[in-house]
Amino acid sequence: MVYSQDPQNQVDAVVLGAGFSGLYMLYRLREAGFSTRVFEAADGVGGVWYWNRYPGARCDSESVYYNYTFSEELFKEWSWSSRYPEQPEILRYLNYVADKFELKPDITFNTRVTSAVYDEAANRWQVKTDTGETVSAKYFITGVGCISSANVPNIPGLNDFEGQAYHTGHWPHEKVDFTGKRVGVIGTGSSGIQSIPVIAKEAAHLTVFQRTPQYSVPAQNHTYTKEFVEEVKNKYSEIRRQMKETVAGLRFEFGEQSVLDDPPEVRRQKLQEGWEKGGWEILFTYNDLLANEEGNELVAEFIREKIQEIVDDPETAKKLTPDHFYGTKRAIVDTDYFETYNRDNVRLVDVKASPIEAITPKGIRTTDNEYGLDALVFATGFDGMTGSLFKIDIRGKDGVSLKEKWENGAKTRTYLGLTTAGFPNMFMLTGPESPSVLGNMPATIEQHVEWVSDCINHLRDNQVDVMEAESQAEEEWSAHCKELADATLYTKTDSWYTGANISGKARGFPIYVGGYGAYREICDDVAVNGYKGFSFKQV
Ligand code: N01
């Protein structure tokens, strides 16, 4: 169905973004008979998988969980090639979904929503785009992603560089050829750690500018056999159940024991097994890794020893050794990351010890050296959680903007991470104070989309025109999120979770840490109890 060309440009719902969230939201709304427009800045579907085309980009959730499960037919039609497939394959998957369900005709591509203002008299959202269109919608739903607003640090001389510069989150569509080039990479988060080994193989020379060393564990990536893929398809119900009920929407639950319960040799054996299995095994081995300083240190030390073993040059190994709590920055899985520093053409620069002073026409100048470069890669991350929402001028009742209400990010206030008081009929898919980024995104996205579409169906069935989170419910939810987060080690580390990566951004931890399964139960309970915590209006 193509959206109705209403002369007033009115639709039931406007959805922002055509990534995992927006595509499924569109599907559900259309199935329920709501006229829906999706706006997407890119010229294709995919969201982060459209933009993040850097070498080595792949998911860090196992692929069999990194997909939709709402359609058994879709789940059984699609076959992943490997445990952690690369970006082109994931983008192909999302295009396959969009084509299978004929979603593209309802998506307006190459169009960015610039503002969304709630018109209290009409009880509708007025949504404006950068192409000059205004659409009036009863429901305004954001699916803009949690880590989609690229952070390019404001380094002096940024625009003076004469070589090619790239950000991992805005990578060109055509292949970037680093052959014969001296390449610099700034940043060693997931994007840096995935791209560095691949770039090192191609470039003449690679210099990595590292501010904070990171823990990383081997992905132990491998291709899937036909038999395994068939087996997975037969486990559809089990996989869907795991994605719904577990702590992170994957096959894991946290282990039953504290890190401190195991004697050293047993702990070592378990961690060694986790290392060999790869991925996030280690992270889920114990029940208190993310809450117990002493226990976390024991696990961190195990990974530090691995880094010392892998990296030949002791000085480089020392620079690569992290000292924050393991897992409090997003746990990273890699392919040959630490091994890459044993190559002759790779050099590591510690920019905490010798900060970057400037980008020059010919490279990078730190306080103690100058590095000549032909190409520069910013693997410097994103303004997470709120960055993409704040790029849009979203205004609720009384003309108050979301940015003002949340004090520029210093105080996000939501009810369930889905709604915020003063912004009626607006829903944020994987919004701040939902579990979102602390696990497998497609799982948390499916839950949010299904909750929102059930909610909108409920409003229609009960002839309710306006639904709004109550301030009291919001206060309690935000306080609950903060209380849970403060009991963990997450808040003790500088990370994009805490906003510490963005200069001037207020520190917080706007993510629900109680786990996907528990969160789903809370959301379901709210719905079953007549959407408690919300007020309703019939016009
Ligand atoms: O970004 P990051 P990312 N000077 O913020 C450094 C998801 N993701 O794009 O740690 C020098 O983690 C910064 O240093 P520091 C995933 O959730 C998933 O890598 O702030 N360095 C850090 O090293 C991930 O967590 C996949 O001190 C500067 C790096 O840049 C999230 O996206 C793949 C600097 C940024 O690391 C973000 O990952 C990729 C400066 N001025 C991403 N500014 C999957 O596997 C920043 N840095 C699915």
Side-chain angles (χ1 to χ4, degrees):
M1 181 180 87
V2 177
Y3 62 85
S4 60
Q5 291 285 355
D6 180 297
Q8 308 297 316
N9 225 358
Q10 299 208 1
V11 286
D12 293 319
V14 159
V15 177
L16 305 197
F20 264 102
S21 306
L23 291 177
Y24 185 34
M25 193 75 246
L26 170 60
Y27 172 81
R28 288 288 293 223
L29 288 170
R30 254 184 18 187
E31 288 293 291
F34 292 104
S35 58
T36 304
R37 294 275 306 267
V38 176
F39 290 100
E40 169 55 59
D43 67 5
V45 302
V48 293
W49 295 108
Y50 175 94
W51 298 104
N52 284 262
R53 296 168 187 248
Y54 59 85
R58 50 178 87 241
C59 58
D60 59 3
S61 295
E62 288 172 2
S63 57
V64 297
Y65 296 89
Y66 202 77
N67 39 216
Y68 297 111
T69 56
F70 68 85
S71 159
E72 185 170 356
E73 185 181 280
L74 167 66
F75 185 87
K76 292 191 168 168
E77 272 171 12
W78 185 263
S79 302
W80 292 109
S81 68
S82 60
R83 187 179 182 186
Y84 299 107
E86 283 196 275
Q87 173 272 339
E89 190 172 337
I90 301 170
L91 188 58
R92 267 201 309 280
Y93 170 73
L94 288 167
N95 272 288
Y96 179 82
V97 173
D99 292 336
K100 176 178 171 67
F101 297 111
E102 296 175 31
L103 300 175
K104 289 178 183 170
D106 284 339
I107 304 171
T108 307
F109 292 105
N110 296 306
T111 305
R112 197 174 275 284
V113 166
T114 52
S115 72
V117 177
Y118 187 66
D119 176 349
E120 264 183 273
N123 294 306
R124 294 186 75 83
W125 284 90
Q126 303 300 332
V127 180
K128 291 199 161 124
T129 72
D130 63 356
T131 55
E133 195 177 358
T134 302
V135 183
S136 164
K138 188 163 183 177
Y139 302 105
F140 174 58
I141 304 169
T142 63
V144 292
C146 303
I147 25 182
S148 46
S149 179
N151 166 44
V152 179
N154 193 13
I155 301 171
L158 196 59
N159 298 320
D160 298 344
F161 185 58
E162 287 171 357
Q164 269 100 39
Y166 310 92
H167 188 285
T168 50
H170 283 282
W171 203 261
H173 287 207
E174 59 285 359
K175 168 156 171 59
V176 175
D177 189 0
F178 290 123
T179 310
K181 301 235 165 83
R182 297 164 305 160
V183 182
V185 174
I186 305 178
T188 51
S190 301
S191 306
I193 284 181
Q194 285 184 337
S195 58
I196 284 164
V198 184
I199 296 174
K201 283 189 193 142
E202 189 174 280
H205 193 274
L206 172 64
T207 308
V208 177
F209 298 89
Q210 170 196 271
R211 187 163 68 182
T212 308
Q214 268 277 19
Y215 300 96
S216 186
V217 164
Q220 311 289 17
N221 193 22
H222 51 81
T223 52
Y224 284 150
T225 60
K226 253 187 169 167
E227 294 71 35
F228 178 82
V229 169
E230 280 317 304
E231 209 182 301
V232 164
K233 289 181 184 182
N234 291 331
K235 283 193 194 153
Y236 165 75
S237 303
E238 172 64 0
I239 287 177
R240 183 159 165 80
R241 186 199 62 74
Q242 288 173 322
M243 285 173 69
K244 277 171 176 272
E245 292 176 10
T246 61
V247 67
L250 294 159
R251 64 189 161 83
F252 306 103
E253 286 293 4
F254 286 118
E256 284 173 9
Q257 284 176 297
S258 159
V259 187
L260 304 176
D261 285 344
D262 275 336
E265 62 284 5
V266 175
R267 188 170 56 241
R268 207 181 157 75
Q269 193 192 330
K270 282 188 187 171
L271 295 176
Q272 180 62 30
E273 280 167 15
W275 181 269
E276 283 163 18
K277 285 183 190 163
W280 287 343
E281 291 282 341
I282 288 181
L283 193 67
F284 288 93
T285 301
Y286 293 104
N287 63 15
D288 58 353
L289 176 65
L290 294 165
N292 181 321
E293 293 194 14
E294 198 187 336
N296 188 292
E297 173 58 23
L298 293 169
V299 176
E301 191 52 26
F302 172 85
I303 302 176
R304 290 186 200 119
E305 284 170 19
K306 290 287 184 195
I307 299 171
Q308 312 291 322
E309 277 169 29
I310 296 169
V311 180
D312 294 340
D313 173 42
E315 201 47 43
T316 305
K318 202 168 147 202
K319 284 189 211 163
L320 285 167
T321 302
D323 62 4
H324 56 272
F325 294 115
Y326 172 58
T328 54
K329 282 173 178 276
R330 167 91 168 189
I332 300 179
V333 303
D334 72 88
T335 300
D336 294 339
Y337 175 62
F338 294 114
E339 289 81 350
T340 294
Y341 292 93
N342 295 335
R343 295 176 64 98
D344 291 339
N345 69 334
V346 177
R347 149 177 73 187
L348 179 67
V349 176
D350 176 356
V351 296
K352 212 164 233 166
S354 320
I356 296 175
E357 278 186 343
I359 294 174
T360 67
K362 302 286 175 213
I364 286 185
R365 190 176 72 239
T366 65
T367 49
D368 69 354
N369 211 341
E370 195 143 2
Y371 300 90
L373 302 169
D374 305 308
L376 184 52
V377 174
F378 289 92
T380 44
F382 302 88
D383 181 357
M385 307 313 294
T386 51
S388 296
L389 288 169
F390 288 166
K391 274 188 177 166
I392 307 153
D393 186 15
I394 301 173
R395 289 179 187 271
K397 283 158 66 177
D398 302 321
V400 174
S401 80
L402 191 65
K403 209 170 171 179
E404 282 160 10
K405 179 182 169 184
W406 288 355
E407 297 171 28
N408 213 7
K411 201 158 186 237
T412 48
R413 276 170 287 173
T414 76
Y415 183 37
L416 303 176
L418 276 158
T419 59
T420 187
F423 294 74
N425 290 358
M426 168 177 157
F427 299 92
M428 296 167 290
L429 303 174
T430 69
E433 298 179 351
S434 73
S436 65
V437 292
L438 295 184
N440 178 31
M441 289 304 293
T444 197
I445 285 168
E446 280 197 319
Q447 185 252 330
H448 261 196
V449 168
E450 285 161 16
W451 192 93
V452 170
S453 50
D454 289 350
C455 175
I456 291 177
N457 277 320
H458 171 86
L459 299 179
R460 179 174 60 185
D461 294 348
N462 290 280
Q463 288 96 45
V464 173
D465 296 294
V466 182
M467 174 177 173
E468 183 183 346
E470 290 172 350
S471 300
Q472 174 74 17
E474 172 175 284
E475 286 298 321
E476 284 170 15
W477 180 254
S478 295
H480 177 57
C481 288
K482 183 167 180 337
E483 192 187 356
L484 290 181
D486 285 347
T488 70
L489 302 176
Y490 278 119
T491 52
K492 297 187 194 297
T493 297
D494 285 349
S495 66
W496 64 261
Y497 294 147
T498 58
N501 63 326
I502 302 297
S503 117
K505 188 167 177 178
R507 199 183 176 92
F509 192 86
I511 312 168
Y512 174 81
V513 299
Y516 281 19
Y519 173 78
R520 174 188 294 273
E521 282 179 21
I522 294 169
C523 292
D524 288 351
D525 183 62
V526 166
V528 165
N529 286 290
Y531 292 92
K532 66 181 174 194
F534 290 96
S535 64
F536 302 98
K537 198 164 88 181
Q538 281 168 324
V539 182

